Amino acid sequence: MADGKHIKARGRKGCWYIGVDLTGDVPNAKYGSEGENKFDWFVYFQQLKKIDYPLKYLGSDGNSDIYQSAKCHFPLVRHQTCCEHYLRKMDRIIGYRKIIREKRQLECAIELKIRLLIKQMLFAKTYDEFLKHWQSILYFPHKNPLIDFIRKDIKRNFTFLTAHFLDNQIPRTNNLTESFIKQLKRRLK
């Protein structure tokens, strides 16, 4: 699992590129420029390749730079987008927090129903259950641009959202990396 985070340490702010494997080991960590970018991810995976790291699975927050850079050095790598990150992305698109904060649940029932279906789909226990919820979103009876956009985005990311069903060694979330980064931030204060 890989993630990039802006961390301020000793008065300097920059982006850390960090990977954590399933055992909790950190095979590579790289300090890069101020902003997360494709070049630094490319160098990160290049360094992993140089140490003959056997990268088979990659979990990320859905940043396409991570996946594309990994594919350059590890063409057979399987990628899983973190379901937590994807749900937060959908929440921003739907405006979920604003709906809850402004107590507009009744007038935004369609948006909340779609959000529930997305959450059920992402955290389904089986692939069949995932597909059932995907079908509900795909054939949702209301027509509006928001729902059309969500359908297109899920279609575009479908293989990255379902990799963990095809191989049970691939985690559904990036929680291990996120936990490591929180610990790193605490220690560098």
Side-chain angles (χ1 to χ4, degrees):
M1 293 164 283
D3 200 3
K5 267 307 182 232
H6 295 90
I7 298 175
K8 189 174 182 178
R10 298 185 184 119
R12 289 180 53 199
K13 187 175 182 180
C15 187
W16 278 90
Y17 297 83
I18 298 168
V20 179
D21 69 17
L22 296 176
T23 66
D25 189 26
V26 179
N28 191 17
K30 176 189 178 319
Y31 185 76
S33 58
E34 241 181 75
E36 193 173 347
N37 62 68
K38 192 171 191 169
F39 175 76
D40 283 334
W41 276 118
F42 183 87
V43 172
Y44 174 87
F45 288 107
Q46 187 177 47
Q47 290 170 345
L48 273 183
K49 186 73 171 176
K50 280 183 183 175
I51 63 169
D52 292 325
Y53 187 78
L55 185 66
K56 297 177 190 168
Y57 316 109
L58 175 64
S60 78
D61 57 8
N63 179 340
S64 62
D65 289 346
I66 297 173
Y67 174 68
Q68 290 169 2
S69 298
K71 273 295 215 197
C72 289
H73 302 289
F74 300 93
L76 300 177
V77 70
R78 281 189 155 159
H79 181 252
Q80 170 69 41
T81 295
C82 173
C83 292
E84 294 281 351
H85 282 87
Y86 194 80
L87 181 61
R88 285 197 297 260
K89 173 185 169 183
M90 290 293 113
D91 284 350
R92 286 189 300 275
I93 291 167
I94 292 168
Y96 178 72
R97 287 184 183 216
K98 186 176 180 182
I99 291 168
I100 299 303
R101 187 175 54 244
E102 295 176 2
K103 297 181 172 52
R104 296 175 40 224
Q105 288 91 329
L106 289 177
E107 66 187 82
C108 298
I110 292 170
E111 289 87 347
L112 293 177
K113 177 63 178 168
I114 283 292
R115 197 258 184 194
L116 177 64
L117 289 170
I118 292 168
K119 184 176 181 180
Q120 290 172 333
M121 178 188 74
L122 292 173
F123 295 97
K125 298 210 183 307
T126 65
Y127 187 66
D128 288 341
E129 189 181 331
F130 179 97
L131 290 176
K132 182 184 95 178
H133 295 300
W134 166 234
Q135 293 295 318
S136 297
I137 294 167
L138 198 55
Y139 300 110
F140 196 74
H142 299 278
K143 299 261 187 218
N144 79 34
L146 174 68
I147 296 171
D148 290 340
F149 177 82
I150 289 169
R151 286 181 186 126
K152 286 176 187 171
D153 196 73
I154 293 170
K155 280 181 187 176
R156 189 172 44 253
N157 290 288
F158 196 84
T159 56
F160 303 134
L161 295 170
T162 57
H164 67 282
F165 288 119
L166 305 175
D167 190 325
N168 64 2
Q169 289 188 320
I170 302 173
R172 179 191 308 251
T173 68
N174 233 19
N175 290 347
L176 198 57
T177 309
E178 296 290 334
S179 296
F180 177 84
I181 289 170
K182 282 181 188 173
Q183 289 176 26
L184 180 65
K185 282 175 104 170
R186 259 187 256 128
R187 290 179 186 200
L188 291 175
K189 281 187 179 179

